[in-house]
Amino acid sequence: MTLTVKIAVIALGGALGALARTGTGELMTWLLQRAWLGTFTANMLGCLGMGLARGAVEANDWGSPELRALIFAGFLGAFTTFSTFEADTVGLWQQGSKVLAALYMSVSVLGGVGAFCLGWWWMTRGA
């Protein structure tokens, strides 16, 4: 894959991932009136997706280099949002919701690792 193709594929995946993240955030805000739940949902789904995709690559040598770049660096890189997670945590803390901020931070980190491991296990258990 040439550098030009790699950049184009990652840009396409990134645009789609950013749109999906924004849609997830808007949906969660509309449904539950909590913007931080959109970030949490996107991060958990992204971690699960990363685990699934990585497990598929390891178990079955799945996907072309272009597809892998589109999914890993592009879509999932833009869909998950660590900086927004940090801002949401600080925002909750500043609003006086210190327990919720600590809980959000802890569950996000541990849940993300758990979601990744679940996706990876799911895809590799048959290998």
Side-chain angles (χ1 to χ4, degrees):
M1 167 173 35
T2 67
L3 181 58
T4 304
V5 170
K6 188 173 189 175
I7 290 169
V9 166
I10 291 170
L12 174 62
L16 295 172
L19 290 170
R21 182 186 71 224
T22 300
T24 300
E26 292 296 322
L27 178 63
M28 296 307 289
T29 300
W30 179 71
L31 287 174
L32 302 172
Q33 303 298 303
R34 301 288 187 267
W36 61 269
L37 282 172
T39 304
F40 177 79
T41 302
N43 285 340
M44 293 304 106
L45 289 173
C47 288
L48 177 63
M50 186 72 79
L52 288 167
R54 184 167 173 184
V57 168
E58 288 181 17
N60 304 310
D61 194 31
W62 172 82
S64 66
E66 293 83 4
L67 183 60
R68 291 178 189 181
L70 179 109
I71 291 173
F72 287 104
F75 185 84
L76 291 171
F79 184 66
T80 58
T81 173
F82 191 70
S83 58
T84 305
F85 157 68
E86 300 296 337
D88 288 346
T89 301
V90 171
L92 288 168
W93 186 273
Q94 289 173 332
Q95 294 168 15
S97 300
K98 291 176 175 42
V99 172
L100 183 57
L103 184 63
Y104 174 58
M105 183 174 55
S106 301
V107 172
S108 291
V109 171
L110 296 174
V113 171
F116 176 88
C117 289
L118 175 63
W120 176 85
W121 172 81
W122 190 356
M123 294 306 290
T124 61
R125 68 182 175 167

